Amino acid sequence: MVEAWYMDSLDDDQRKPHRMEPNQSVSLQELEKLGVYHLKLNADIYEADPELKKIRTERNYTFMDIITIHKDTLPNYDEKIKIFYAEHLHLDDEIRYVLEGSGYFDVRNKDDKWIRISVEKGDLITLPAGIYHRFTLDENNFVKAMRLFVGEPVWTAYNRPADSYKARQDYLTFLAQVA
C-alpha cells in the first residue's frame, strides 16, 4: 500500500524521506480529497494484466510508454532530475505505474503544504490536472515506470506560478467543493 506523510522543511538531499518529527501520516482518503488516486497492481504481469487492460479501457488511456530513470539509462540524467523536481502542474492528469524501483511524488495540499507520497513496484498513481507537484527518486536511485495518457501524450510542465491556467482554476474549484 502506498504511504504518504507531511514533509519536513529541510533542504538537504531530496531523495531522503523528509518525514516530520514526529511523523504525520496522510491517509489514502486524504489524498483522494486532493484528487490523488492510487491502485496496487501486479507489476510482474503488466504486459498481460487483465486488470491494467480494464483500467486503460475504462479510463481511455490510449497511449503509454515506459521510462527508466537511472543515471546509466536516462539521457541528460542530471538535467531531467532537476526538471522533474521543479514544482509544476500539467493541463492533463499525470498517470504513472511503477514497474520496478521506487521514488517520491510530492503534492501540495489545500494549505500549500507538501505531502510526500512514496511509490514502489505495483503502485499506479493518478495526479489530477492542475495540482502542483514534483517527482524525485528515492535513495535507491532507480525507477522504471509506465506513463499513461488519454490520447496523444502531452509532456508540457508549467512551473509555479501557473495559477492562470484553466486546469489550475478547475482544480481549485474541485478543492473548494470537497472542503
Side-chain angles (χ1 to χ4, degrees):
M1 174 145 105
V2 74
E3 185 183 7
W5 57 87
Y6 283 99
M7 292 182 67
D8 64 28
S9 58
L10 298 176
D11 285 333
D12 61 349
D13 189 344
Q14 69 194 37
R15 298 167 307 140
K16 292 185 177 183
H18 287 279
R19 292 178 188 270
M20 296 182 79
E21 291 295 331
N23 186 44
Q24 294 182 22
S25 294
V26 176
S27 69
L28 283 176
Q29 292 78 17
E30 290 174 87
L31 291 177
E32 288 174 4
K33 288 179 182 176
L34 298 175
V36 176
Y37 294 96
H38 167 267
L39 292 169
K40 190 71 167 184
L41 300 174
N42 184 351
D44 290 331
I45 61 167
Y46 76 90
E47 293 177 284
D49 185 358
E51 190 172 356
L52 178 60
K53 184 177 181 180
K54 179 182 173 193
I55 291 165
R56 288 188 64 187
T57 300
E58 288 174 352
R59 298 183 185 178
N60 201 28
Y61 297 158
T62 55
F63 183 91
M64 75 79 151
D65 71 358
I66 295 176
I67 184 170
T68 302
I69 304 174
H70 184 268
K71 65 181 179 178
D72 295 336
T73 60
L74 185 65
N76 304 314
Y77 171 81
D78 291 327
E79 178 185 333
K80 295 281 184 167
I81 292 296
K82 288 178 186 172
I83 290 170
F84 296 155
Y85 199 64
E87 184 176 1
H88 63 277
L89 60 77
H90 299 285
L91 305 183
D92 298 303
D93 291 354
E94 181 166 331
I95 307 105
R96 299 294 181 264
Y97 177 24
V98 179
L99 304 176
E100 296 177 35
S102 52
Y104 299 120
F105 279 97
D106 301 335
V107 298
R108 292 280 190 182
N109 76 353
K110 292 188 326 184
D111 299 320
D112 215 35
K113 294 180 181 173
W114 281 117
I115 296 172
R116 176 151 279 191
I117 305 166
S118 175
V119 293
E120 61 186 19
K121 183 177 179 177
D123 289 330
L124 187 145
I125 188 167
T126 303
L127 305 180
I131 191 173
Y132 283 122
H133 67 282
R134 60 191 182 190
F135 176 81
T136 188
L137 294 174
D138 60 15
E139 292 174 296
N140 294 316
N141 292 314
F142 171 80
V143 72
K144 179 179 177 181
M146 179 184 291
R147 301 183 288 192
L148 297 156
F149 298 89
V150 174
E152 290 298 311
V154 179
W155 306 103
T156 307
Y158 298 91
N159 287 353
R160 190 171 189 176
D163 293 335
S164 62
Y165 288 96
K166 184 178 183 317
R168 180 65 181 167
Q169 295 303 311
D170 290 349
Y171 180 70
L172 292 174
T173 299
F174 163 79
L175 286 180
Q177 292 171 348
V178 173

PDB file of all heavy atoms in Angstrom, residues 26-39:
ATOM      1  N   VAL A  26      -0.406  10.668   6.125  1.00  0.00           N
ATOM      2  CA  VAL A  26      -1.546  11.127   5.333  1.00  0.00           C
ATOM      3  C   VAL A  26      -2.219   9.882   4.773  1.00  0.00           C
ATOM      4  O   VAL A  26      -1.566   9.044   4.154  1.00  0.00           O
ATOM      5  CB  VAL A  26      -1.085  12.066   4.194  1.00  0.00           C
ATOM      6  CG1 VAL A  26      -2.265  12.472   3.319  1.00  0.00           C
ATOM      7  CG2 VAL A  26      -0.376  13.298   4.765  1.00  0.00           C
ATOM      8  N   SER A  27      -3.527   9.762   4.987  1.00  0.00           N
ATOM      9  CA  SER A  27      -4.264   8.574   4.561  1.00  0.00           C
ATOM     10  C   SER A  27      -4.618   8.647   3.070  1.00  0.00           C
ATOM     11  O   SER A  27      -4.597   9.724   2.453  1.00  0.00           O
ATOM     12  CB  SER A  27      -5.546   8.436   5.373  1.00  0.00           C
ATOM     13  OG  SER A  27      -6.460   9.469   5.019  1.00  0.00           O
ATOM     14  N   LEU A  28      -4.983   7.489   2.524  1.00  0.00           N
ATOM     15  CA  LEU A  28      -5.457   7.447   1.136  1.00  0.00           C
ATOM     16  C   LEU A  28      -6.704   8.313   0.966  1.00  0.00           C
ATOM     17  O   LEU A  28      -6.884   8.960  -0.074  1.00  0.00           O
ATOM     18  CB  LEU A  28      -5.768   6.006   0.719  1.00  0.00           C
ATOM     19  CG  LEU A  28      -4.574   5.120   0.391  1.00  0.00           C
ATOM     20  CD1 LEU A  28      -5.027   3.699   0.081  1.00  0.00           C
ATOM     21  CD2 LEU A  28      -3.784   5.687  -0.771  1.00  0.00           C
ATOM     22  N   GLN A  29      -7.551   8.354   1.989  1.00  0.00           N
ATOM     23  CA  GLN A  29      -8.757   9.174   1.926  1.00  0.00           C
ATOM     24  C   GLN A  29      -8.406  10.661   1.830  1.00  0.00           C
ATOM     25  O   GLN A  29      -9.048  11.413   1.090  1.00  0.00           O
ATOM     26  CB  GLN A  29      -9.658   8.917   3.152  1.00  0.00           C
ATOM     27  CG  GLN A  29     -10.276   7.532   3.186  1.00  0.00           C
ATOM     28  CD  GLN A  29      -9.297   6.433   3.645  1.00  0.00           C
ATOM     29  OE1 GLN A  29      -8.247   6.712   4.229  1.00  0.00           O
ATOM     30  NE2 GLN A  29      -9.646   5.184   3.373  1.00  0.00           N
ATOM     31  N   GLU A  30      -7.386  11.072   2.571  1.00  0.00           N
ATOM     32  CA  GLU A  30      -6.947  12.468   2.489  1.00  0.00           C
ATOM     33  C   GLU A  30      -6.376  12.774   1.108  1.00  0.00           C
ATOM     34  O   GLU A  30      -6.610  13.854   0.561  1.00  0.00           O
ATOM     35  CB  GLU A  30      -5.908  12.768   3.572  1.00  0.00           C
ATOM     36  CG  GLU A  30      -6.476  12.790   4.976  1.00  0.00           C
ATOM     37  CD  GLU A  30      -5.395  12.948   6.028  1.00  0.00           C
ATOM     38  OE1 GLU A  30      -5.051  14.108   6.337  1.00  0.00           O
ATOM     39  OE2 GLU A  30      -4.903  11.917   6.532  1.00  0.00           O
ATOM     40  N   LEU A  31      -5.634  11.821   0.537  1.00  0.00           N
ATOM     41  CA  LEU A  31      -5.106  12.013  -0.811  1.00  0.00           C
ATOM     42  C   LEU A  31      -6.244  12.120  -1.829  1.00  0.00           C
ATOM     43  O   LEU A  31      -6.193  12.950  -2.744  1.00  0.00           O
ATOM     44  CB  LEU A  31      -4.160  10.877  -1.194  1.00  0.00           C
ATOM     45  CG  LEU A  31      -2.832  10.823  -0.437  1.00  0.00           C
ATOM     46  CD1 LEU A  31      -2.035   9.596  -0.870  1.00  0.00           C
ATOM     47  CD2 LEU A  31      -2.016  12.095  -0.643  1.00  0.00           C
ATOM     48  N   GLU A  32      -7.263  11.290  -1.664  1.00  0.00           N
ATOM     49  CA  GLU A  32      -8.405  11.322  -2.577  1.00  0.00           C
ATOM     50  C   GLU A  32      -9.119  12.666  -2.520  1.00  0.00           C
ATOM     51  O   GLU A  32      -9.624  13.145  -3.536  1.00  0.00           O
ATOM     52  CB  GLU A  32      -9.366  10.176  -2.281  1.00  0.00           C
ATOM     53  CG  GLU A  32      -8.805   8.829  -2.714  1.00  0.00           C
ATOM     54  CD  GLU A  32      -9.668   7.647  -2.314  1.00  0.00           C
ATOM     55  OE1 GLU A  32     -10.778   7.849  -1.751  1.00  0.00           O
ATOM     56  OE2 GLU A  32      -9.226   6.508  -2.557  1.00  0.00           O
ATOM     57  N   LYS A  33      -9.148  13.314  -1.351  1.00  0.00           N
ATOM     58  CA  LYS A  33      -9.751  14.644  -1.240  1.00  0.00           C
ATOM     59  C   LYS A  33      -8.958  15.690  -2.027  1.00  0.00           C
ATOM     60  O   LYS A  33      -9.478  16.759  -2.334  1.00  0.00           O
ATOM     61  CB  LYS A  33      -9.861  15.064   0.226  1.00  0.00           C
ATOM     62  CG  LYS A  33     -10.928  14.299   0.984  1.00  0.00           C
ATOM     63  CD  LYS A  33     -10.978  14.741   2.427  1.00  0.00           C
ATOM     64  CE  LYS A  33     -12.013  13.927   3.193  1.00  0.00           C
ATOM     65  NZ  LYS A  33     -12.028  14.255   4.629  1.00  0.00           N
ATOM     66  N   LEU A  34      -7.705  15.358  -2.345  1.00  0.00           N
ATOM     67  CA  LEU A  34      -6.878  16.224  -3.191  1.00  0.00           C
ATOM     68  C   LEU A  34      -6.970  15.814  -4.658  1.00  0.00           C
ATOM     69  O   LEU A  34      -6.345  16.430  -5.512  1.00  0.00           O
ATOM     70  CB  LEU A  34      -5.417  16.176  -2.735  1.00  0.00           C
ATOM     71  CG  LEU A  34      -5.130  16.657  -1.317  1.00  0.00           C
ATOM     72  CD1 LEU A  34      -3.667  16.435  -0.967  1.00  0.00           C
ATOM     73  CD2 LEU A  34      -5.511  18.121  -1.158  1.00  0.00           C
ATOM     74  N   GLY A  35      -7.727  14.742  -4.928  1.00  0.00           N
ATOM     75  CA  GLY A  35      -7.855  14.249  -6.296  1.00  0.00           C
ATOM     76  C   GLY A  35      -6.769  13.267  -6.689  1.00  0.00           C
ATOM     77  O   GLY A  35      -6.645  12.897  -7.860  1.00  0.00           O
ATOM     78  N   VAL A  36      -5.965  12.821  -5.714  1.00  0.00           N
ATOM     79  CA  VAL A  36      -4.876  11.869  -5.966  1.00  0.00           C
ATOM     80  C   VAL A  36      -5.405  10.464  -5.700  1.00  0.00           C
ATOM     81  O   VAL A  36      -5.943  10.198  -4.618  1.00  0.00           O
ATOM     82  CB  VAL A  36      -3.661  12.162  -5.056  1.00  0.00           C
ATOM     83  CG1 VAL A  36      -2.575  11.113  -5.238  1.00  0.00           C
ATOM     84  CG2 VAL A  36      -3.125  13.570  -5.313  1.00  0.00           C
ATOM     85  N   TYR A  37      -5.257   9.591  -6.693  1.00  0.00           N
ATOM     86  CA  TYR A  37      -5.766   8.226  -6.561  1.00  0.00           C
ATOM     87  C   TYR A  37      -4.650   7.212  -6.735  1.00  0.00           C
ATOM     88  O   TYR A  37      -3.683   7.447  -7.461  1.00  0.00           O
ATOM     89  CB  TYR A  37      -6.886   7.976  -7.581  1.00  0.00           C
ATOM     90  CG  TYR A  37      -8.087   8.821  -7.289  1.00  0.00           C
ATOM     91  CD1 TYR A  37      -8.275  10.036  -7.935  1.00  0.00           C
ATOM     92  CD2 TYR A  37      -9.019   8.440  -6.326  1.00  0.00           C
ATOM     93  CE1 TYR A  37      -9.372  10.834  -7.647  1.00  0.00           C
ATOM     94  CE2 TYR A  37     -10.114   9.236  -6.026  1.00  0.00           C
ATOM     95  CZ  TYR A  37     -10.277  10.427  -6.693  1.00  0.00           C
ATOM     96  OH  TYR A  37     -11.353  11.225  -6.397  1.00  0.00           O
ATOM     97  N   HIS A  38      -4.827   6.073  -6.061  1.00  0.00           N
ATOM     98  CA  HIS A  38      -3.815   5.025  -6.052  1.00  0.00           C
ATOM     99  C   HIS A  38      -4.473   3.668  -6.220  1.00  0.00           C
ATOM    100  O   HIS A  38      -5.548   3.417  -5.675  1.00  0.00           O
ATOM    101  CB  HIS A  38      -3.054   5.050  -4.720  1.00  0.00           C
ATOM    102  CG  HIS A  38      -2.214   3.840  -4.497  1.00  0.00           C
ATOM    103  ND1 HIS A  38      -2.676   2.728  -3.816  1.00  0.00           N
ATOM    104  CD2 HIS A  38      -0.956   3.544  -4.890  1.00  0.00           C
ATOM    105  CE1 HIS A  38      -1.726   1.814  -3.799  1.00  0.00           C
ATOM    106  NE2 HIS A  38      -0.679   2.277  -4.431  1.00  0.00           N
ATOM    107  N   LEU A  39      -3.822   2.817  -6.980  1.00  0.00           N
ATOM    108  CA  LEU A  39      -4.195   1.408  -7.095  1.00  0.00           C
ATOM    109  C   LEU A  39      -2.937   0.572  -6.962  1.00  0.00           C
ATOM    110  O   LEU A  39      -1.845   1.025  -7.337  1.00  0.00           O
ATOM    111  CB  LEU A  39      -4.833   1.110  -8.456  1.00  0.00           C
ATOM    112  CG  LEU A  39      -6.189   1.718  -8.746  1.00  0.00           C
ATOM    113  CD1 LEU A  39      -6.537   1.534 -10.211  1.00  0.00           C
ATOM    114  CD2 LEU A  39      -7.245   1.068  -7.876  1.00  0.00           C
TER     115      LEU A  39
END
